[in-house]
Amino acid sequence: MITCVVDYTIDPDQVLAFERFASAWMNLVNRHGGQHHGYFLPSEGASDKALALFSFPSLAAYEDYRKLFGVDPEFIEADRIRDESRCVVRYERTFMRPLLPSDVRPSRRSAVGDAAPSPHHARVLR
């Protein structure tokens, strides 16, 4: 799985337009093989930062989705919201590999929180 993190600089006067843009893209990602984790918008105070996170099962699946940019009418319409409102000043896309709670192995700690010695430590201490 890969997760795309998009760091946006937005126009604070165009937050409602950005919300329309975000809503359109959440639907498109989810309909075309991904899982959108949401957009994270400014909450308090003056801010021009927003984030989006979405995942695809693989880079190949993400690339299939990207092939629709500039071709699919719904993708074009979603971009039109951004372009006409100028709600996005700039953005940067980063790909990450998630470590999810289901990926974490149980600790080898005892009930009182003391770490159980590893076999390596047992040999060293003898």
Side-chain angles (χ1 to χ4, degrees), residues 46-99:
S47 179
D48 62 353
K49 297 296 180 188
L51 291 172
L53 290 94
F54 56 92
S55 298
F56 278 85
S58 66
L59 185 57
Y62 173 78
E63 289 172 348
D64 287 342
Y65 154 82
R66 289 286 299 174
K67 289 176 186 174
L68 298 170
F69 279 68
V71 177
D72 183 282
E74 289 180 297
F75 282 58
I76 294 167
E77 182 57 33
D79 276 344
R80 184 174 290 127
I81 297 167
R82 179 199 61 218
D83 296 344
E84 289 179 357
S85 69
R86 297 184 179 172
C87 61
V88 175
V89 176
R90 72 180 151 275
Y91 66 92
E92 182 177 316
R93 187 179 311 133
T94 305
F95 293 95
M96 300 187 150
R97 174 185 53 88
L99 177 65

Side-chain angles (χ1 to χ4, degrees), residues 1 29-30 33-37 53-56:
M1 177 188 310
V29 166
N30 289 335
Q35 178 185 2
H36 210 294
H37 307 295
L53 290 94
F54 56 92
S55 298
F56 278 85

Side-chain angles (χ1 to χ4, degrees), residues 94-124:
T94 305
F95 293 95
M96 300 187 150
R97 174 185 53 88
L99 177 65
L100 303 172
S102 60
D103 298 331
V104 178
R105 294 185 183 132
S107 172
R108 294 185 60 182
R109 294 180 179 266
S110 69
V112 292
D114 294 330
S118 71
H120 174 71
H121 285 118
R123 284 189 298 254
V124 172

